[in-house]
Amino acid sequence: MPKTREWFLITMRRFRERATTTPVGSSHYTTVGRLVPITTVKLEVPGIKMEQL
């Protein structure tokens, strides 16, 4: 995963930031991230392998 992380840090601005909320009791918390298509990662990160969990 270090190769993927390095690639992501360089290219992250290409991917739109998204937020989602999760209810917790009478409150909620917000998670922020970026959706990166696996096909893009497979094409651009040398030696990457995808494993179905």
Side-chain angles (χ1 to χ4, degrees):
M1 289 205 27
K3 286 183 190 179
T4 306
R5 183 174 187 77
E6 290 173 23
W7 169 85
F8 178 73
L9 292 173
I10 294 167
T11 62
M12 67 186 282
R13 290 173 196 84
R14 291 171 38 196
F15 307 102
R16 191 169 91 189
E17 188 173 90
R18 301 289 304 260
T20 187
T21 58
T22 302
V24 179
S26 62
S27 187
H28 70 277
Y29 65 88
T30 303
T31 301
V32 179
R34 296 176 190 262
L35 300 176
V36 180
I38 188 63
T39 54
T40 302
V41 178
K42 287 168 56 178
L43 287 171
E44 297 183 14
V45 181
I48 193 84
K49 287 192 254 179
M50 184 178 90
E51 293 189 22
Q52 188 68 35
L53 298 177

